[in-house]
Structures are given as structure tokens and as C-alpha cells.
């Protein structure tokens, strides 16, 4: 196996990144979770139950779809979309939520908490909690609750308590803070289903592993369709779970170029974006050491993105490591570019993407015309855009 695929080490480090930076009261819970996950990952019964749920409850495998009209209109590379938007609940988040709730059950935890930004992870968590009859509490920034009202209603229909968070920017970072406070208080009965490949060890490793199914399927499907591997993979990067899920199974394939696309917001200036690799710095936030947006005094900067799911000040530690290693490129798309891509995919393919996904599509639109027509590009369509239609309609004046 390629050394890049063997990380993290036993202490949760991806080179200088990652680790466990949490209150002492959580160390026991994290160590227990790490040990249970290590047992579960080699347990055929665990794998069998998860595979059955992914297949019959979530709807895997998801299609690898040839975007014929988009390919024609861009006039360059042959474009495929990995259709994670077709999963139950509408995004890739269900892959991880199912894996983690099975771990919670193995550990005897009957209460589930989670944070959510765009609401898709909250919906996925509420869904799996309902499926297994668990109490569920979702923390969500009040700003995000307003712009993602549809997902708030979905979570409540699924029986979850949605707790508005009004501190700070009232977005994802603050929602994670509140979820961690809850976990510290209720650690004996509660499992925290963290939604992305960030936070303290073992979450970056564990979430990545549960999302690797995206890249594993993509590899198999493209070999069946085209007889070869892709030339380029593109995915949006907030915390980074959908991207690392697509990229990780291809890390040892040197011919495959990988591009992660962050949120450029209103432009790369303080407080107006969430592109951590554009002027970010090394720091510690919410359990992990990684690249983040902070000022010269180390204070976390305000962030902005039209996409609630990408509006976060830090990036998953494995992404920081892979960027340093030169294995993955990272770029960004602005709000305007993402909104234009949102509309382009809807009009050319009849697929309305999530605004998170639209950032990856925006980068595709930039580079595909310059790539020769014999090259294959796969974009991870990480979620569907139902939740974003109202916001986009306001922007376009519909």
C-alpha cells in the first residue's frame, strides 16, 4: 500500500497534522471509540451489516453518470458525475452516519448528537437515529437554520430536536462547539456523530474510511465503462469528507490528478471566504491541528460562503498533509462562479446540484475546455440542490 494510504499513525497524526486536542473529559470517550472502531473494521459482521444498510437503505451503489450535454457544451474532456446526490437523504453524508451509528450501538450508546451546517449531515444523522430508535439532538447555527429551512423541517419530521446556536457567526463552527459541550456533559450515554473528516482522532480516519466507498465504486465503474482510470478527479472541500472519500482509493495512482475546491466566497480577503489554503495558517481548532483561517494573533477569522456546508474556518488534517505532499491540488470557486455552475448543470443535464457540489462544478467549467477530449474527468456530485433552490432563486430573481 502507498504510504499516503497508511496514515494516520497510532496517535492520529498525518505528518504534522491531526492529533487529539480535546478536554481531558473527552479523552476516555475518544480512546474507547478508537478501540471499538479498530475492532469493528476487521469484524465481518460489522462490515456485512453496514454493506447491507448501504445497499438496501441508502441506495448504493450510486451511478457513475456520463454528462453528455455538459461534455459537448464545454468542448473538452469527457465528464462523468458520481451521483451521491441520489442516495437516501440526498447526499454522501449517509455513508458515514450509518457507519457511526452502528459503532454507537456496539458501544451501548442510545443518545446521538451531531452538528450540521447545510443540514445534510443533520438529516442523515436524524435518519439513522430514527431507523434505530435512538434519541437525537442536532446543533445548527441560527443563520444556517434560516437559509436551510427545508432541512430543519426534515430533521424535525424525523424526530430530532434541532437546537439553534446563536453565538459568534451562528454557523458551523459554533454548532460544533455546542455539540462538543453536550458530549462532555453526557459522554457516558451519548455518541457524537461528527459529520466530516475533521476534529480529533479517530474522526478524520473513521469518516474517511466510511466515505471511501465513493472512490472504490468510482474506480470499479469507470474501469467497467471505459477500461481505464480517470485522468482527473474533482470534489468540493469543506471539512473534506466527500473529497477524501473519492480521492483516497486513487492516491497510489500517479496518473490520476486530484483537485479539491474550496469556497472562495466574495473573494480572497479576510472574512469574505472559507478557502483555508488561500492565506490560511497552521493552528488548532476543535480537536485537530490543521490549516485554518486565523489572524496574526491566532484568533479565528470570520468566514463566508453562499454554501452553508463549506463555510468553516478549518480543513480536515489529511487534506493539509496531502496538499503538502503535492498529491492533491487545491483551488477555489467564488459564490458567483458556484451559482453560475448550479444553473449550468440544471439546464444542461437536468440535475440540480447542492451549492457545495456547484463549487466543484465551477472549477470543472474552468478547466474542462482546456483538457483534450480523450481525457476522463469525474466530479463528485456530493449532494442534491433541493435545500438550495430558494436561495438560488432569490439570487437569480426567479
Amino acid at each position: 500500500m502507498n504510504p499516503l494510504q497508511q496514515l494516520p499513525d497510532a496517535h492520529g497524526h498525518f505528518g504534522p497534522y491531526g492529533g487529539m486536542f480535546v478536554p481531558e473529559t473527552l479523552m476516555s470517550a475518544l480512546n474507547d471509540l478508537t478501540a471499538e472502531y479498530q475492532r469493528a473494521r476487521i469484524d465481518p459482521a460489522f462490515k456485512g451489516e453496514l454493506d447491507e444498510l448501504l445497499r438496501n437503505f441508502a441506495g448504493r451503489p450510486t451511478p457513475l453518470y456520463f454528462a453528455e450535454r455538459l461534455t459537448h457544451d464545454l468542448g473538452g474532456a469527457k465528464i462523468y458525475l458520481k451521483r451521491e446526490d441520489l442516495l437516501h437523504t440526498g447526499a454522501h453524508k449517509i455513508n458515514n452516519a450509518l457507519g457511526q451509528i452502528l459503532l454507537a450501538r456496539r458501544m451501548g450508546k442510545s443518545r446521538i448528537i451531531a452538528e450540521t451546517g447545510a443540514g445534510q449531515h443533520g438529516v442523515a444523522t436524524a435518519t439513522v437515529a430514527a431507523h434505530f430508535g435512538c434519541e437525537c439532538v442536532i446543533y445548527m447555527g441560527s443563520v444556517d437554520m434560516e437559509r436551510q429551512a427545508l432541512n430543519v423541517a426534515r430533521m424535525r419530521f424525523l424526530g430530532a430536536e434541532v437546537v439553534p446556536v446563536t453565538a459568534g457567526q451562528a454557523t458551523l463552527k459554533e454548532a460544533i462547539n455546542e455539540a462538543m459541550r453536550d458530549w462532555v456533559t453526557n459522554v457516558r450515554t451519548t455518541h457524537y456523530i461528527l459529520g466530516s473528516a475533521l476534529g480529533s482522532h479517530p474522526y478524520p480516519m473513521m469518516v474517511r474510511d466510511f466515505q471511501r466507498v465513493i472512490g472504490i465504486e468510482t474506480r470499479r465503474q469507470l474501469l467497467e465503462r471505459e477500461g481505464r482510470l480517470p485522468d482527473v478527479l474533482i470534489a468540493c472541500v469543506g471539512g473534506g469528507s466527500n473529497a477524501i472519500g473519492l480521492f483516497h482509493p486513487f492516491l497510489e495512482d500517479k496518473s490520476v490528478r486530484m483537485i479539491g475546491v474550496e469556497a472562495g466566497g466574495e473573494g480572497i480577503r479576510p472574512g469574505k471566504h472559507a478557502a483555508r489554503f488561500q492565506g490560511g495558517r497552521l493552528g488548532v481548532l476543535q480537536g485537530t491541528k490543521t490549516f485554518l483561517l486565523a489572524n496574526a494573533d491566532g484568533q479565528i477569522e470570520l468566514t463566508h460562503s453562499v454554501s452553508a456546508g463549506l463555510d468553516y474556518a478549518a480543513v480536515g488534517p489529511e487534506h493539509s498533509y496531502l496538499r503538502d505532499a503535492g498529491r492533491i491540488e487545491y483551488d477555489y470557486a467564488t459564490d458567483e462562479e458556484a451559482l453560475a455552475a448550479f444553473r449550468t448543470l440544471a439546464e444542461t443535464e437536468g440535475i440540480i446540484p447542492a451549492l457545495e457540489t456547484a463549487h466543484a462544478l465551477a472549477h470543472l467549467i474552468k478547466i474542462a475546455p482546456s483538457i483534450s477530449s480523450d481525457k476522463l474527468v469525474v466530479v463528485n456530485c456530493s449532494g442534491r440542490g433541493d435545500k438550495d433552490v430558494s436561495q438560488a432563486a432569490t439570487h437569480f430573481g426567479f
Side-chain angles (χ1 to χ4, degrees):
M1 182 182 285
N2 187 295
L4 294 176
Q5 290 182 308
Q6 294 176 342
L7 293 173
D9 65 19
H11 302 288
H13 292 111
F14 300 86
Y17 305 106
M20 301 173 81
F21 295 86
V22 295
E24 190 64 31
T25 47
L26 285 180
M27 286 301 296
S28 178
L30 287 167
N31 287 331
D32 289 348
L33 178 59
T34 303
E36 190 61 49
Y37 177 60
Q38 296 293 5
R39 287 189 291 267
R41 72 193 304 189
I42 59 173
D43 182 350
F46 177 84
K47 184 179 186 303
E49 186 175 9
L50 179 57
D51 287 349
E52 190 276 333
L53 285 165
L54 288 171
R55 183 172 58 252
N56 295 320
F57 185 67
R60 303 211 72 90
T62 58
L64 185 67
Y65 168 73
F66 172 46
E68 186 173 5
R69 288 196 62 217
L70 187 62
T71 296
H72 176 268
D73 288 0
L74 294 180
K78 190 173 184 180
I79 299 162
Y80 282 91
L81 304 179
K82 182 56 173 164
R83 298 293 307 277
E84 295 296 289
D85 58 310
L86 293 179
L87 284 170
H88 181 40
T89 72
H92 70 290
K93 296 292 188 180
I94 192 75
N95 302 323
N96 169 57
L98 283 169
Q100 286 204 48
I101 201 161
L102 292 183
L103 286 175
R105 284 162 56 81
R106 286 172 67 105
M107 293 185 293
K109 304 291 182 73
S110 59
R111 181 174 179 267
I112 301 298
I113 62 172
E115 87 299 331
T116 196
Q120 288 302 122
H121 175 59
V123 170
T125 300
T127 296
V128 300
H131 183 73
F132 285 106
C134 296
E135 179 186 353
C136 183
V137 178
I138 308 293
Y139 291 93
M140 189 172 190
S142 58
V143 169
D144 290 340
M145 288 180 71
E146 290 179 12
R147 56 180 172 174
Q148 299 295 338
L150 173 62
N151 277 342
V152 174
R154 293 171 76 193
M155 286 182 270
R156 288 174 171 158
F157 275 122
L158 290 160
E161 177 187 357
V162 184
V163 178
V165 179
T166 58
Q169 277 193 277
T171 56
L172 182 58
K173 175 169 65 70
E174 290 76 25
I176 294 175
N177 282 340
E178 290 304 313
M180 290 183 73
R181 288 190 186 100
D182 182 319
W183 200 22
V184 167
T185 304
N186 301 290
V187 69
R188 284 196 298 271
T189 61
T190 298
H191 175 63
Y192 179 13
I193 298 185
L194 185 63
S196 197
L198 43 78
S200 172
H201 181 66
Y203 284 104
M205 169 184 70
M206 193 167 64
V207 175
R208 174 201 71 198
D209 290 350
F210 288 140
Q211 295 293 357
R212 287 183 80 252
V213 65
I214 302 170
I216 291 168
E217 285 182 7
T218 298
R219 185 187 194 90
R220 183 180 69 246
Q221 290 167 326
L222 202 60
L223 286 170
E224 290 172 355
R225 294 282 293 275
E226 297 282 352
R228 63 188 182 91
L229 296 179
D231 297 287
V232 184
L233 299 172
I234 306 175
C236 65
V237 179
S241 65
N242 93 89
I244 203 67
L246 176 65
F247 297 157
H248 195 263
F250 293 91
L251 288 179
E252 66 182 49
D253 300 297
K254 294 182 180 179
S255 65
V256 181
R257 179 186 178 195
M258 306 181 204
I259 306 170
V261 186
E262 299 184 283
E266 296 173 1
I268 307 302
R269 55 189 192 276
K272 298 298 183 182
H273 70 99
R276 289 64 47 102
F277 293 129
Q278 305 294 324
R281 62 183 67 214
L282 182 63
V284 174
L285 181 64
Q286 294 176 328
T288 195
K289 183 186 289 186
T290 188
F291 259 82
L292 49 80
L293 295 172
N295 63 23
D297 297 322
Q299 297 299 307
I300 302 302
E301 290 183 343
L302 299 178
T303 56
H304 165 77
S305 174
V306 69
S307 162
L310 303 184
D311 191 2
Y312 184 63
V315 66
E318 189 165 11
H319 286 286
S320 292
Y321 177 77
L322 291 169
R323 185 243 195 184
D324 283 2
R327 185 61 190 95
I328 300 177
E329 306 166 36
Y330 294 87
D331 211 315
Y332 66 91
T334 65
D335 288 353
E336 289 292 331
E337 290 167 336
L339 283 159
F342 177 95
R343 191 167 183 179
T344 295
L345 190 69
E347 293 179 349
T348 59
E349 294 292 345
I351 299 169
I352 300 176
L355 281 173
E356 291 80 13
T357 299
H359 285 71
L361 293 164
H363 193 74
L364 168 77
I365 290 168
K366 288 180 194 175
I367 69 169
S370 65
I371 300 174
S372 62
S373 60
D374 63 335
K375 301 295 184 183
L376 305 175
V377 177
V378 177
V379 179
N380 196 17
C381 197
S382 56
R384 66 177 183 238
D386 309 38
K387 66 187 179 60
D388 299 314
V389 164
S390 178
Q391 190 177 359
T394 299
H395 172 82
F396 289 113
F398 289 175

